[in-house]
Amino acid sequence: MGTSLDSRADQAAEVVDRLAVEYPDTTISLDFSTRFELLVAVILSAQCTDERVNETTAELFETYPSPEAFANAPQEELAEALNSITYYNNKASYIRESAQLVVDEHDGAVPDTMGDLTELPGVGRKTANVVLQHGHDVVEGIVVDTHVQRITRRVDLTDEERPAKIEEDLMELVPESEWQALTHLFISHGRATCTARNPDCADCVLEDVCPSSKLDSEVDRASGQAW
């Protein structure tokens, strides 16, 4: 859209400020009690709802209480336990292999660096960012999930489409102190209002600063203007 960096920084500040008022208590919605449980939950959450993951992990973490237990679980047995999760066979393999690496190479502890985490099967930068932020209190980047990807483009904070590039743009625009909160604010807004198919622009706290608002188009059409 050709928007300047300064203009986008101002837009980002306005968007984050408004969302922080709208969703003051937003945080991660996955259930976990250990760093390894967090790692498993985030791997399972790829292309799956957090609600479904939480339903599954409630029993899963009782059955497999440690990295060793996951590593020693037969593939078919673990896959069966995950059969309500999308791509459960692949995720069962990722979790078993990651558990084995955690046991063999990290003394049973979940790694605390981006490099070590992204060497684990099924762990990309997004997953690693979540584990670092919520497992180790290390904020090294911004988690770009589908909500962040969608809304940042709608409110003109980026023209990029790939998560890695979107993250780079956002890290330029938003102070580091707000990187972790930004993700949860956008996720909450994406679930409540700015949904993928039918965003509720009429009830959106960002409507007047959002160039993608449907209300502007409706007003233009009603007045006979092109849009």
Side-chain angles (χ1 to χ4, degrees):
M1 296 183 183
T3 310
S4 72
L5 184 63
D6 287 344
S7 295
R8 277 187 163 153
D10 291 341
Q11 173 78 337
E14 182 70 19
V15 166
V16 170
D17 285 349
R18 293 192 188 193
L19 293 181
V21 173
E22 188 76 2
Y23 310 102
D25 301 315
T26 186
T27 187
I28 188 170
S29 55
L30 293 170
D31 295 334
F32 63 95
S33 58
T34 69
R35 288 169 177 161
F36 192 77
E37 287 183 0
L38 172 61
L39 175 63
V40 170
V42 182
I43 290 174
L44 293 178
S45 71
Q47 296 181 287
C48 188
T49 66
D50 289 356
E51 182 180 11
R52 175 61 59 84
V53 171
N54 289 337
E55 291 173 357
T56 300
T57 56
E59 182 175 347
L60 186 74
F61 293 152
E62 290 186 6
T63 305
Y64 308 103
S66 66
E68 290 84 359
F70 276 103
N72 293 327
Q75 169 68 20
E76 290 185 4
E77 177 185 293
L78 184 55
E80 177 62 26
L82 301 177
N83 66 10
S84 65
I85 300 288
T86 52
Y87 307 112
Y88 62 90
N89 275 311
N90 288 341
K91 291 177 181 178
S93 295
Y94 295 152
I95 291 168
R96 290 176 66 248
E97 293 168 16
S98 291
Q100 194 66 63
L101 286 173
V102 166
V103 171
D104 292 345
E105 299 185 12
H106 301 283
D107 297 321
V110 175
D112 61 359
T113 68
M114 179 66 70
D116 284 342
L117 281 167
T118 52
E119 288 182 356
L120 300 176
V123 178
R125 184 173 175 87
K126 182 185 79 170
T127 297
N129 266 325
V130 176
V131 173
L132 287 174
Q133 290 179 13
H134 295 280
H136 295 287
D137 292 323
V138 173
V139 180
E140 191 168 316
I142 296 173
V143 179
V144 178
D145 79 333
T146 55
H147 296 291
V148 176
Q149 191 172 358
R150 176 176 73 254
I151 298 173
T152 51
R153 288 175 54 80
R154 284 181 176 174
V155 298
D156 193 26
L157 299 186
T158 184
D159 297 321
E160 300 291 345
E161 296 184 2
R162 294 191 298 112
K165 289 293 187 181
I166 292 173
E167 182 183 12
E168 289 177 10
D169 281 355
L170 293 176
M171 289 168 69
E172 279 194 276
L173 299 176
V174 179
E176 185 175 346
S177 61
E178 297 178 349
W179 287 359
Q180 181 172 329
L182 179 147
T183 296
H184 299 302
L185 293 171
F186 276 66
I187 290 173
S188 292
H189 193 57
R191 289 172 175 166
T193 304
C194 195
T195 55
R197 294 185 179 181
N198 296 299
D200 185 6
C201 297
D203 195 36
C204 178
V205 69
L206 303 177
E207 191 281 323
D208 62 312
V209 296
C210 178
S212 302
S213 170
K214 296 188 299 182
L215 299 190
D216 292 339
S217 299
E218 290 169 0
V219 169
D220 289 345
R221 281 184 288 173
S223 62
Q225 298 177 22
W227 63 285

